[in-house]
Amino acid sequence: MKQQRNNVARNVVKRLLPLCLFTFLPQMLYAQTFTQNLQKQVKGEGVITLHQDKDIEDLVNGPQPVKPATTTETEKNDDSKQPAHSTTATATQQDSLVKNHSVTRVTGYRVQVYAGGNSRADKQKAEQIGSQLKSLFPAQQVYVHFYSPRWICRIGNFTSREDAEQLKSELREMGFDQTTIVKGKITLQE
């Protein structure tokens, strides 16, 4: 009986192995990480954009070879805490930073304008406030991130607390009552 089961298992493997190779070989030849495959653009389908911490990327896709740090990687990791998901309202400014190749990370201050929950409505409110801030202060960078368990909207890259306090008081006068100053890693353009 046991030998009969082993023979059946061998036959199944012999029949399925060519099918599996035929099915999965093209994918193995053009190997992409799971997240790269997920973000692949296909005509007529929606677009998925993922922003995640390197530790999560390694967990999902396995460790990747270490590359020298580039400006874009530095720009993605601009806060001391790493967000699980993030989106920014300043893609144009970040593109200009990347083109200049002169970005420095230092300890400084940002003004936190909004801290919501983890719902879709909170995400939309954070993005809405981020857009508002971008139009009110076009010279400042605006950051909208998800720091578990909440959506956060921050503005500015200040090396002195006094400059951050000045913007905070301006924002309070405009009706942004939740404003507070947050110390952490900031990105400076040289």
Side-chain angles (χ1 to χ4, degrees), residues 43-187:
K43 186 176 180 181
E45 292 185 7
V47 177
I48 296 176
T49 304
L50 270 164
H51 300 276
Q52 60 190 8
D53 184 53
K54 183 182 181 328
D55 294 335
I56 294 174
E57 182 78 25
D58 289 346
L59 181 66
V60 172
N61 299 315
Q64 300 297 314
V66 178
K67 298 182 290 187
T70 63
T71 306
T72 53
E73 290 170 2
T74 304
E75 186 62 28
K76 284 182 199 170
N77 301 325
D78 55 32
D79 282 325
S80 55
K81 280 181 157 183
Q82 297 299 321
H85 304 284
S86 68
T87 178
T88 65
T90 61
T92 309
Q93 270 192 334
Q94 287 185 358
D95 288 345
S96 67
L97 284 176
V98 170
K99 288 176 187 170
N100 291 338
H101 297 286
S102 56
V103 174
T104 306
R105 291 185 65 210
V106 296
T107 301
Y109 304 93
R110 289 191 178 148
V111 179
Q112 182 169 300
V113 183
Y114 176 77
N118 62 357
S119 70
R120 185 172 294 179
D122 292 323
K123 176 184 179 183
Q124 290 171 343
K125 178 141 185 174
E127 289 175 341
Q128 175 190 11
I129 289 173
S131 295
Q132 238 180 337
L133 292 174
K134 186 61 190 151
S135 65
L136 291 170
F137 302 95
Q140 296 292 339
Q141 286 196 305
V142 176
Y143 302 90
V144 176
H145 294 290
F146 180 77
Y147 291 109
S148 186
R150 64 187 70 238
W151 280 95
I152 306 271
C153 179
R154 294 179 181 165
I155 184 171
N157 288 311
F158 301 104
T159 54
S160 73
R161 187 169 180 93
E162 293 78 28
D163 292 339
E165 287 284 352
Q166 184 178 356
L167 181 62
K168 175 185 166 187
S169 61
E170 281 183 54
L171 288 165
R172 289 217 174 197
E173 288 174 12
M174 292 178 177
F176 295 101
D177 297 329
Q178 289 187 14
T179 58
T180 185
I181 294 178
V182 179
K183 185 176 182 178
K185 291 288 183 186
I186 62 168
T187 308

Side-chain angles (χ1 to χ4, degrees), residues 8-24:
V8 169
R10 281 189 200 117
N11 287 335
V12 168
V13 169
K14 284 179 183 177
R15 290 181 184 166
L16 287 180
L17 186 61
L19 178 64
C20 289
L21 284 175
F22 179 74
T23 305
F24 297 111

